Amino acid sequence: MGAVCSHNKDATDEEINNFEKQKTEFSNKTPKKLLLLGAGDSGKSTIFRQLRRLFGGINEIPTKERMKATDPIIENIIKNMISLCRALTNEKLENDINYTPNILQNPNLDQIIQNYSQNLTDEIICLNSQKMWKENNFEMGQHFIQLWKEPSLQYCFNYYKTKYQVEESAPYYFNNLERIIKEDYLPLDEDILRTRIKTTGVIDQEFYFENQKFILIDVGGQRSERRKWLNHFENVDAILYVCSLSEFDQSCYEDNITNRMQESLKLFSEYIVSKHFENVIVYLIFNKEDIFENKIKIGKSLKVTFPNYDGNDNDLIKSKEFIENLYLEKDTLNKVRQSYFMVALDKDNLLKNAESIIKDIISSNNEL
């Protein structure tokens, strides 16, 4: 593999020496510039963080970076739990055909649910989540632990998470709250990889593979960040366009109306024909394959968003082919070289696909 792009306090002497050796050896080679593009919450930044670990030469996430990740992790935990409390308060579950009526296992939670759902707006959470957690982390954490044990709350996650913008990773954090609420909590690798951290600006990472230097660039995918994309289009050799397979039934954070996959398709169609990418090859990455498969298995239908889908609702292969073709139809200039279906959180799965992409970029040197 390669070496880390810059010296880091957590890097060992051996890692730093390996980096300096490779840096000197390949300094005269023109680096291949890889640009990660995609709409918000596609998993683009998760892929970046994973690739930085896999090809960057440092296996451990630096302590400083772990500490920095604590705030967004806590904010996401609070926001997701409050959203589920709102769902439980607002939705008439007794009218759902899939719902089995039950009383709260802990009747004292009823008032807690009411307080959380009515008094904590998204704005309050965003501005005060760290203060709330610092002052009441144990009490709030215990509430969340008890709430997550309630079947009715888990039902809301399974059937209303899309409507209330609850993240797929929420159960992971709720199931690890006993560890997270401790005063000396320091996020684990998986805690960081699973959390939603909005990318602002631009992040890049140098790495080396088979005697070739690469620069991997990640830019923010939210609407407010896209105007910055053009600044980084020069001399790009390949685009890795990331789409979340599982977003076919979800709406965008920005307006809670626009379908996420429709937005991703629109972005792809705009940039795939851009004059800035005239000699650039493109790799389509369909991320969150595991979540997509789970949705299809429990009866979510592509036809709700895409009425022209003519396959069976539970046909995983045809469903994936349909989504892939939606993107390929936008590629009127035949720039897409290959498509990959993957799970960014699965290190082995990502490594296998990433190596395939990188080797293909090297082999297509004459085309770039």
Side-chain angles (χ1 to χ4, degrees), residues 165-296:
Q165 297 280 14
V166 180
E167 296 165 7
E168 293 286 350
S169 61
Y172 168 81
Y173 294 102
F174 297 156
N175 290 329
N176 283 279
L177 277 170
E178 293 283 4
R179 170 174 58 84
I180 294 172
I181 64 175
K182 292 180 179 179
E183 294 290 341
D184 59 351
Y185 169 64
L186 188 67
L188 302 177
D189 290 4
E190 191 165 1
D191 297 353
I192 296 171
L193 288 171
R194 286 181 178 270
T195 201
R196 181 175 183 268
I197 302 176
K198 179 182 175 182
T199 301
T200 56
V202 179
I203 312 171
D204 62 64
Q205 170 75 47
E206 291 182 7
F207 66 91
Y208 301 88
F209 189 92
E210 294 188 355
N211 300 335
Q212 174 63 54
K213 179 180 177 180
F214 291 87
I215 300 176
L216 180 67
I217 301 170
D218 180 25
V219 292
Q222 303 298 328
R223 290 176 182 174
S224 60
E225 293 294 316
R226 293 173 196 163
R227 64 180 181 273
K228 304 173 185 176
W229 287 10
L230 286 172
N231 298 328
H232 305 278
F233 285 177
E234 283 190 26
N235 303 317
V236 170
D237 295 296
I239 292 173
L240 279 58
Y241 190 88
V242 184
C243 162
S244 168
L245 270 177
S246 64
E247 66 189 2
F248 69 89
D249 65 340
Q250 296 175 265
S251 56
C252 295
Y253 281 104
E254 290 90 341
D255 60 18
N256 207 24
I257 297 173
T258 308
N259 178 269
R260 291 191 192 181
M261 187 164 284
Q262 296 283 17
E263 172 127 324
S264 176
L265 281 163
K266 182 174 180 292
L267 275 177
F268 182 74
S269 65
E270 290 174 357
Y271 287 102
I272 194 70
V273 296
S274 170
K275 62 181 181 180
H276 299 282
F277 297 139
E278 188 173 351
N279 298 311
V280 175
I281 56 176
V282 178
Y283 297 87
L284 267 173
I285 296 177
F286 294 101
N287 188 29
K288 304 186 183 181
E289 184 180 21
D290 54 338
I291 299 173
F292 172 80
E293 292 181 351
N294 286 334
K295 284 188 174 183
I296 296 299

Side-chain angles (χ1 to χ4, degrees), residues 91-102 151-161 295 297-301:
E91 301 299 330
K92 296 180 179 179
L93 302 186
E94 63 274 11
N95 296 333
D96 285 12
I97 59 174
N98 295 313
Y99 181 65
T100 302
N102 62 83
S152 54
L153 203 83
Q154 295 196 23
Y155 178 89
C156 285
F157 174 79
N158 290 328
Y159 289 92
Y160 289 97
K161 62 176 176 283
K295 284 188 174 183
K297 287 175 182 176
I298 65 171
K300 296 285 185 178
S301 176

